[in-house]
Amino acid sequence: MPVAVGALLVVGTVALTGLLLRMPLDDLSYATTMSGTPGTFSAKHCHGVRSGRVTSLTCTGTFVAEDGRLTDHSAELTDAPPDRDEPITVQRRPDGSYIQPLVFRVALDLTAVFGIVGAAAMMLVIVRALSSRDTVPARVPGRSRPKVRGPVPILLALLAIGCWAAAVLSFAIAIATVFFRF
């Protein structure tokens, strides 16, 4: 494989990682109250909204900011939890929508990011291994064919294994948050 193609693939993987890391950072900023206006949402009316096979609960009600400076009597929360009798802690986004800050969402986003980056790194290792085979004519004995060596394939394989381990850990944290209600 030419060096330029390999470098392009590595740069593409790094760019993909950067783009994908925006997913958990958005949810993390709301879960840690670094973004949005924290407050409580009290539901008055809820109805199910069907999208394909999934039905989510959408509620309308009142949002009251923690500092008391904002009250929205026409607030709408999508994907509301089923127990709507008690006020729910939410964050008001700058666009006026509401989100329930959950560690579960952050952990699932991290699971997806680590899984995708691990798969991309492993695909680079496989592309490198397959491309090194085609550079030698078929009549040359196997022992004299070039092997996939060097630090880049090894580092990419370690990156893939590390990302998959982090994905499993993130998924375990997501499951733990469901059972322990973080």
Side-chain angles (χ1 to χ4, degrees), residues 19-107:
L19 288 173
L20 289 174
L21 279 176
R22 293 182 59 203
M23 284 179 4
L25 290 178
D26 186 40
D27 284 336
L28 184 63
S29 69
Y30 287 106
T32 58
T33 65
M34 292 175 62
S35 293
T37 304
T40 57
F41 175 81
S42 300
K44 291 182 183 173
H45 175 69
C46 295
H47 61 280
V49 177
R50 190 163 182 88
S51 176
R53 294 184 201 173
V54 178
T55 301
S56 63
L57 194 60
T58 299
C59 296
T60 55
T62 303
F63 170 79
V64 178
E66 243 179 38
D67 59 8
R69 289 193 276 171
L70 174 68
T71 301
D72 182 4
H73 294 287
S74 62
E76 183 175 283
L77 179 64
T78 55
D79 295 330
D83 56 343
R84 58 184 185 263
D85 296 335
E86 295 183 22
I88 304 166
T89 302
V90 296
Q91 296 282 109
R92 185 172 198 264
R93 291 181 170 175
D95 65 358
S97 64
Y98 297 91
I99 184 171
Q100 190 176 11
L102 299 173
V103 175
F104 174 76
R105 289 183 184 160
V106 176

Side-chain angles (χ1 to χ4, degrees), residues 10 13 118 121-122 124-125 151-161:
V10 170
T13 302
M122 190 51 71
L124 286 173
V125 171
V152 174
I154 294 169
L155 290 174
L156 286 172
L158 290 174
L159 173 68
I161 293 167

Side-chain angles (χ1 to χ4, degrees), residues 106-118:
V106 176
L108 280 184
D109 287 347
L110 285 173
T111 300
V113 168
F114 286 131
I116 291 169
V117 171

Side-chain angles (χ1 to χ4, degrees), residues 8 14 30 66 68 83 99 118 135 157 171 179:
L8 185 62
V14 171
Y30 287 106
E66 243 179 38
D83 56 343
I99 184 171
T135 58
F171 187 70
F179 288 116

